[in-house]
Amino acid sequence: MGASGETGDRAQFTEYIQKNVALYQFRNGIPLTTAAAANFTRGELATALRKNPYMVNIILAGYDKETGPSLYFIDYIASLHKVDKAAFGYGSYFALSMMDRHYRHDMTVEEAIALVDKCIMEIRSRLVVAPPNFLIKIVDKDGAREYAWRESIKDTPVSAA
Amino acid sequence: MARYDRAITVFSPDGHLFQVEYALEAVRKGNAAVGVRGTDTIVLAVEKKSAPKLQDSRSVRKIVNLDDHIALACAGLKADARVLINRARIECQSHKLTIEDPVTVEYITRYIAGLQQKYTQSGGVRPFGLSTLIIGFDPHTGTPSLYQTDPSGTFSAWKANATGRNSNSIREFLEKNYKETHGQETLKLAIRALLEVVESGGKNIEVAVMTKDHGLRQLEEDEIDAIVAEIEAEKAAAEAAKKAPSTKET
């Protein structure tokens, strides 16, 4: 689950979803499917919407043995779409255009990473308030894992006094 | 005496809570469960009563996961167990959500025992009719633990324990034969203890092993059969060794 938006809401909401997904697995002995998790997430956002809405936008990625990989776009007013590519934020204007031009549904992992890098380059060059560092993660049959960082500003090690 | 066991909030004149004691009776009628703690392995073994032919035995799991690093087996009323286990599973996740840390074995045992105690001190409710054996590894230090709770809400840590039917005989056996073990030896000790009171065979026992790196693993029937065969062979060899010296003397 990749999330952006209000910092507190983001942490609170995504951790809540995480723990409920884990609880489901212990209760029922099998993990939630990606579609079920996406619908659950969307439902929670919708329930909170007319009382205290969460200002969080979410891109949910998952791999199911039967149906393969799937991607879900969930925005802060609880819209839910199953998509092949998604982006949120000011950078999305550039990233989505890039993906419209270069995305193909039969891309390999390497080609997908190359497309992500193209999007990052666009964001870096076009966006005035571009974030300096990016983290790329991959979700597949072996689970979710960190793939690479794209850093423009590295953490400087604190020198000893 | 009969007047003091209606509502459980009432003490009897000689200081008994009869409903709690009757709940312990329910536990004594439940199937036998054994837990053994080794240095790197903890084993739970539970007696499996012969299943009716048409029942799908996979839907009746007696050893369950509470979290990735905690498991539970119980003896007594299975319906009460379902409720208690559900509450414990929720607490495990809730703890991770608020404290950002997995529960320790002691914490969740204390929680379950606290829940069992609450139901001995409220009006109109009866105690949970089960004792639990809770095993797990401490999420930070990795030390293995085995705890037991009972319907009164008391809990304590054990090196090895049994609950349910014939638990006294199993405990006697464990007291005589317990020593620090690891890996396969812990597994064999637990199964040997259970076989004291249960008919031998893979289809009468459910066994699960927990290790720090692999979590809980339920053993397949043929794996259990193989270990049972090993144990019987060792027993036979020990019997033969005992008989052999006496024949040589004559």
Side-chain angles (χ1 to χ4, degrees):
Chain A
M1 189 160 48
S4 73
E6 195 67 52
T7 321
D9 283 356
R10 194 186 67 222
Q12 186 88 333
F13 185 72
T14 55
E15 285 176 10
Y16 172 74
I17 298 293
Q18 253 186 336
K19 300 311 182 253
N20 272 286
V21 169
L23 182 61
Y24 181 96
Q25 174 155 2
F26 284 110
R27 272 196 180 136
N28 299 286
I30 50 166
L32 269 172
T33 58
T34 314
N39 277 285
F40 171 67
T41 306
R42 188 250 151 208
E44 291 296 307
L45 279 170
T47 309
L49 185 61
R50 282 175 173 69
K51 277 217 171 118
N52 4 316
Y54 290 103
M55 297 301 282
V56 199
N57 298 308
I58 293 172
I59 300 178
L60 196 145
Y63 184 92
D64 303 304
K65 220 162 44 150
E66 296 82 21
T67 49
S70 41
L71 193 67
Y72 287 87
F73 167 104
I74 306 169
D75 76 5
Y76 72 101
I77 36 179
S79 328
L80 172 66
H81 286 286
K82 185 174 188 306
V83 292
D84 293 326
K85 47 202 185 320
F88 275 113
Y90 290 119
S92 69
Y93 296 115
F94 307 105
L96 283 169
S97 313
M98 220 48 198
M99 291 194 274
D100 279 345
R101 171 70 181 82
H102 293 286
Y103 174 83
R104 284 175 358 261
H105 67 92
D106 54 355
M107 293 173 96
T108 62
V109 179
E110 291 75 25
E111 290 171 334
I113 301 285
L115 177 53
V116 166
D117 277 326
K118 282 199 183 73
C119 295
I120 293 175
M121 203 159 62
E122 281 305 300
I123 293 170
R124 276 187 177 149
S125 51
R126 297 290 173 186
L127 209 54
V128 187
V129 286
N133 300 334
F134 293 81
L135 169 63
I136 303 179
K137 281 188 168 175
I138 295 189
V139 180
D140 61 15
K141 64 174 172 27
D142 304 314
R145 58 183 185 281
E146 269 187 34
Y147 173 80
W149 282 85
R150 302 285 187 241
E151 289 172 309
S152 343
I153 301 178
K154 284 206 166 38
D155 272 336
T156 47
V158 180
S159 52
Chain B
M1 279 303 172
R3 279 175 296 166
Y4 297 100
D5 61 8
R6 289 289 148 191
I8 62 141
T9 46
V10 182
F11 273 106
S12 73
D14 57 347
H16 289 258
L17 283 171
F18 277 117
Q19 281 300 310
V20 176
E21 292 182 11
Y22 297 161
L24 279 157
E25 264 308 303
V27 171
R28 261 175 240 130
K29 294 208 162 39
N31 44 242
V34 176
V36 179
R37 184 190 83 195
T39 52
D40 63 353
T41 309
I42 330 172
V43 181
L44 282 173
V46 179
E47 171 189 4
K48 215 163 49 172
K49 295 222 175 71
S50 55
K53 282 214 176 72
L54 294 172
Q55 187 181 72
D56 187 345
S57 53
R58 285 170 307 167
S59 66
V60 193
R61 278 253 156 263
K62 298 205 170 157
I63 305 174
V64 294
N65 255 322
L66 295 183
D67 203 345
D68 298 312
H69 61 300
I70 313 243
L72 175 151
C74 54
L77 268 50
K78 287 291 173 272
D80 287 3
R82 225 177 34 237
V83 171
L84 215 51
I85 289 168
N86 193 34
R87 300 280 291 271
R89 280 173 169 159
I90 294 176
E91 179 61 20
C92 284
Q93 296 305 315
S94 180
H95 186 276
K96 269 203 272 208
L97 185 57
T98 50
I99 314 279
E100 284 266 317
D101 246 350
V103 295
T104 57
V105 192
E106 206 235 343
Y107 178 92
I108 199 66
T109 307
R110 192 193 301 276
Y111 176 81
I112 292 175
L115 210 48
Q116 286 181 293
Q117 192 280 339
K118 251 199 267 266
Y119 282 71
T120 68
Q121 213 177 6
S122 295
V125 298
R126 62 161 178 81
F128 286 97
L130 69 148
S131 291
T132 67
L133 286 171
I134 300 166
I135 62 169
F137 287 87
D138 185 292
H140 300 292
T141 62
T143 32
S145 314
L146 166 66
Y147 281 86
Q148 190 208 32
T149 72
D150 63 29
S152 62
T154 53
F155 72 92
S156 48
W158 293 77
K159 293 183 191 161
N161 201 359
T163 178
R165 253 176 7 110
N166 304 118
S167 56
N168 285 325
S169 348
I170 308 181
R171 209 170 302 121
E172 259 176 54
F173 175 86
L174 285 168
E175 280 175 14
K176 256 193 268 176
N177 294 285
Y178 178 83
K179 52 187 203 309
E180 291 278 317
T181 52
H182 62 271
Q184 194 74 350
E185 285 307 308
T186 318
L187 180 52
K188 281 223 268 226
L189 179 57
I191 297 183
R192 263 169 56 214
L194 192 57
L195 287 177
E196 290 285 305
V197 303
V198 171
E199 230 181 272
S200 71
K203 56 178 171 38
N204 299 316
I205 313 177
E206 191 175 309
V207 186
V209 179
M210 179 168 270
T211 47
K212 187 162 176 304
D213 300 318
H214 301 286
L216 189 73
R217 189 174 73 89
Q218 309 264 5
L219 264 57
E220 304 279 327
E221 211 179 287
D222 40 4
E223 272 184 271
I224 303 175
D225 277 329
I227 299 176
V228 169
E230 241 183 88
I231 292 172
E232 312 243 284
E234 283 173 11
K235 253 200 242 174
E239 288 290 312
K242 256 194 271 174
K243 292 206 181 94
S246 54
T247 53
K248 280 200 189 122
E249 279 163 25
T250 49

